Amino acid sequence: MRILVTGGAGFIGARLVRAAVAQGHHVINVDALTYAASLSAVWDLDEMPNYTLVPADVTDGAAMRRVLSDHHPDAIMHLAAESHVDRSIKDAGPFVQTNVVGTFTLLEAVCAYWMDQGQPADFRFHQISTDEVFGALGEDGVFTDQSKYAPNSPYAATKASADHLVRAWHATYGLPTLISYGSNTYGPGQYPEKLIPLALTRAVAGEQIPVYGNGQQVRDWLFVDDHARGLLSVLERGRVGEAYAIGGGTELRNIDLVRALCRQLQVKRPIAGRYTDLITHVPDRPGHDFRYAMDTTRAARELEWCAETRFEDGLAETIDWHLRGVPRPEMTEHNHAVPLGDVA
Ligand SMILES: NC(=O)c1ccc[n+]([C@@H]2O[C@H](COP(=O)([O-])OP(=O)(O)OC[C@H]3O[C@@H](n4cnc5c(N)ncnc54)[C@H](O)[C@@H]3O)[C@@H](O)[C@H]2O)c1
């Protein structure tokens, strides 16, 4: 397939692009190269005949129309987004712009392109969404792909808005769409503002590791390569107009996750003191969702997909990557808008 991936220089996008190129798909990577992008994660693909990078912004309708007519994709995988909850609380404007206006702009361009092509039934527009659109769970229960939307953060609200646009473009114009709800994703290459890479960066520097509130919030952790494989399964086997929950099946309280990370670090890079002594509880985030968990039965049944990476192994790979000092954009005063660890 010729797959146009938006946000393919981001954390999940880069691993998805690598997996798709390795499977022989032709990938057109459309990315605005914001602070969250990492060209070092995809630079070596420039050598590949089945990979093209197009620096462009999804809110630019003319650029989207151009890339579609230049590259003739069979499928769109839409990952480009502003993705950091704390930033969305500080300033929701860029989230509305990229996640809502950007998705609308892309949908308009893609729908016109699809109609010009004679509305091929095997075309796909895959919207990459998040379990956060469903809001918070209590101690029990799980989200499914049928759960009611109830977003709590500006980030989640803009992702929910984008999902609704995608759904409407399917119902109204017949565009063959798919939606996937991924759970909290971790792994090598994540920008160091999210909980795991932030905790690692701080711990290795001997600095305080911030944990929101009492750290009792529960997240369902999914290794990035399992997520990428899940997205390709949705694209290849998902039923048009449907949505699929892609969860890691590893529920952990934030405080337990940070302690597990400190324990592994103590073995891999021993220090005289204890990394756990660096853990510092900081005031909770407003509207902080208590718990997320996903029922992935449908993905297992219809897509033959399930998460395969044990959390300890995925965490070890993530820590090893950090300790090797693989290049990542540095946090600067300019791009490090919020100094606390996010768990989104
Ligand atoms: N990280 C997670 O835990 C997680 C979980 C579920 C779903 N998701 C979703 O997966 C997608 C990717 O997440 P991520 O963690 O890789 O994000 P990320 O922030 O690491 O990467 C986002 C990428 O999108 C690009 N981008 C941003 N604005 C753009 C624009 N206007 N036009 C074109 N490109 C633009 C950035 O340059 C960057 O390369 C997002 O849609 C996110 O909502 C993420």
Side-chain angles (χ1 to χ4, degrees):
M1 285 174 101
R2 295 178 64 80
I3 307 174
L4 188 158
V5 175
T6 71
F11 165 51
I12 301 169
R15 303 292 276 215
L16 168 70
V17 163
R18 302 191 77 83
V21 166
Q23 285 184 13
H25 296 296
H26 189 116
V27 174
I28 305 106
N29 180 1
V30 174
D31 198 299
L33 305 179
T34 70
Y35 78 94
S38 175
L39 276 181
S40 61
V42 285
W43 68 267
D44 55 313
L45 296 178
D46 281 344
E47 308 291 318
M48 307 288 286
N50 57 334
Y51 173 77
T52 312
L53 174 68
V54 181
D57 194 312
V58 292
T59 62
D60 180 344
M64 292 305 105
R65 288 191 290 279
R66 203 173 321 116
V67 73
L68 289 162
S69 69
D70 284 354
H71 294 280
H72 300 287
D74 311 305
I76 315 293
M77 299 181 84
H78 179 37
L79 290 87
E82 288 291 337
S83 69
H84 186 45
V85 175
D86 287 346
R87 285 179 188 266
S88 80
I89 293 170
K90 201 158 184 273
D91 180 8
F95 289 72
V96 173
Q97 196 56 27
T98 284
N99 301 0
V100 184
V101 177
T103 302
F104 162 70
T105 307
L106 184 65
L107 274 170
E108 284 230 303
V110 168
C111 200
Y113 163 80
W114 173 69
M115 286 181 173
D116 283 351
Q117 301 286 309
Q119 307 186 8
D122 56 356
F123 185 83
R124 296 288 181 270
F125 183 103
H126 179 178
Q127 158 75 357
I128 284 68
S129 188
T130 163
D131 58 2
E132 298 189 39
V133 296
F134 302 125
L137 291 165
E139 294 283 353
D140 304 317
V142 284
F143 295 132
T144 72
D145 40 75
Q146 303 299 317
S147 292
K148 198 171 139 225
Y149 278 67
N152 287 324
S153 71
Y155 161 68
T158 58
K159 291 296 291 185
S161 307
D163 294 359
H164 291 321
L165 291 173
V166 170
R167 184 188 151 84
W169 257 246
H170 172 64
T172 307
Y173 306 109
L175 186 69
T177 62
L178 297 158
I179 298 179
S180 58
Y181 307 111
S183 66
N184 266 59
T185 305
Y186 72 101
Q190 193 168 27
Y191 190 77
E193 61 187 358
K194 308 277 171 79
L195 180 62
I196 290 180
L198 181 79
L200 273 170
T201 309
R202 292 282 178 89
V204 169
E207 294 169 5
Q208 291 182 343
I209 305 170
V211 171
Y212 274 133
N214 56 14
Q216 297 301 306
Q217 299 85 2
V218 176
R219 297 293 180 264
D220 172 9
W221 292 95
L222 172 64
F223 189 61
V224 64
D225 290 341
D226 283 335
H227 195 162
R229 201 169 37 78
L231 296 181
L232 288 168
S233 303
V234 171
L235 183 70
E236 283 157 19
R237 303 196 195 107
R239 283 189 289 138
V240 166
E242 296 292 331
Y244 294 88
I246 302 289
T250 303
E251 280 190 54
L252 279 175
R253 296 185 306 160
N254 288 342
I255 188 67
D256 294 334
L257 177 141
V258 173
R259 286 190 186 128
L261 181 149
C262 287
R263 276 196 302 277
Q264 282 211 20
L265 255 187
Q266 199 76 43
V267 175
K268 289 177 183 289
R269 182 171 287 188
I271 52 171
R274 292 182 313 172
Y275 285 108
T276 44
D277 292 341
L278 297 171
I279 296 173
T280 309
H281 292 271
V282 297
D284 210 348
R285 167 202 283 164
H288 203 172
D289 288 336
F290 173 63
R291 177 170 162 262
Y292 306 134
M294 304 276 271
D295 176 356
T296 57
T297 316
R298 182 134 173 262
R301 194 178 56 238
E302 288 186 23
L303 312 175
E304 294 171 18
W305 173 89
C306 66
E308 287 172 1
T309 309
R310 286 185 339 129
F311 182 74
E312 296 70 26
D313 298 338
L315 186 61
E317 193 173 330
T318 308
I319 294 173
D320 290 344
W321 185 88
H322 272 263
L323 294 181
R324 279 201 304 275
V326 182
R328 226 359 273 195
E330 286 304 314
M331 297 263 252
T332 65
E333 203 151 324
H334 168 67
N335 67 23
H336 187 195
V338 185
L340 306 177
D342 180 24
V343 291

